[in-house]
Amino acid sequence: MRILAKRDKCTGCHLCEIVCSLYHFGYINPTTSAIRVIKDDLGKGANVPYVCLQCNENKMFCLDGLNVDRKMMSQEFIWPCETVNKCPHKAIFAFNEKVFHCDLCGSDPQCVKICTTGALYIRE
């Protein structure tokens, strides 16, 4: 399962960021969200949702040279901040030396549920 985005439908409301932080931490702080809505850098000003594409779901993967089972990588696991730059999809985020990575909310992604425009959707 992975979360995908229809970029042309994203309005930049940031509800996905809000619900992610609220669901995982019990408070609203978009900087602790595992999804981010960022203005594109192509000069068009479009809002672009970035979220983990689960590239190696249920497999071993490598961050900063460390092989880690995906199931062990939780929201609370602390990684060196330079690992954020290793993701080719810009979908791993850091705040206060903690790295945030989408865990699909236990197979019930809250960001997809809250997205009122249908910009976020699930692909099996």
Side-chain angles (χ1 to χ4, degrees):
M1 170 190 300
R2 56 177 67 182
I3 299 170
L4 298 176
K6 296 176 185 173
R7 296 175 180 198
D8 59 327
K9 289 191 172 192
C10 181
T11 62
C13 70
H14 300 273
L15 283 175
C16 54
E17 296 175 351
I18 291 168
V19 75
C20 182
S21 66
L22 187 60
Y23 178 82
H24 286 96
F25 299 103
Y27 56 86
I28 297 171
N29 182 352
T31 58
T32 63
S33 174
I35 185 170
R36 300 286 167 90
V37 177
I38 302 169
K39 291 277 188 195
D40 75 7
D41 55 358
L42 302 175
K44 297 179 183 176
N47 297 293
V48 182
Y50 286 92
V51 65
C52 178
L53 296 177
Q54 309 297 327
C55 297
N56 296 303
E57 191 171 18
N58 299 320
K59 296 180 183 176
M60 297 297 279
F61 71 106
C62 182
L63 282 179
D64 199 33
L66 300 172
N67 288 324
V68 179
D69 187 310
R70 180 172 292 281
K71 293 174 186 162
M72 292 178 64
M73 187 174 177
S74 69
Q75 297 286 345
E76 295 297 320
F77 198 86
I78 298 175
W79 289 92
C81 283
E82 61 268 14
T83 62
V84 173
N85 297 323
K86 300 287 184 186
C87 176
H89 305 291
K90 302 177 188 173
I92 299 176
F93 310 101
F95 180 71
N96 286 342
E97 297 183 10
K98 286 189 180 180
V99 171
F100 302 96
H101 169 274
C102 180
D103 64 1
L104 296 170
C105 298
S107 299
D108 188 23
Q110 301 300 300
C111 58
V112 174
K113 290 170 95 172
I114 198 77
C115 184
T116 59
T117 65
L120 298 174
Y121 64 102
I122 297 171
R123 176 164 295 156
E124 297 294 330

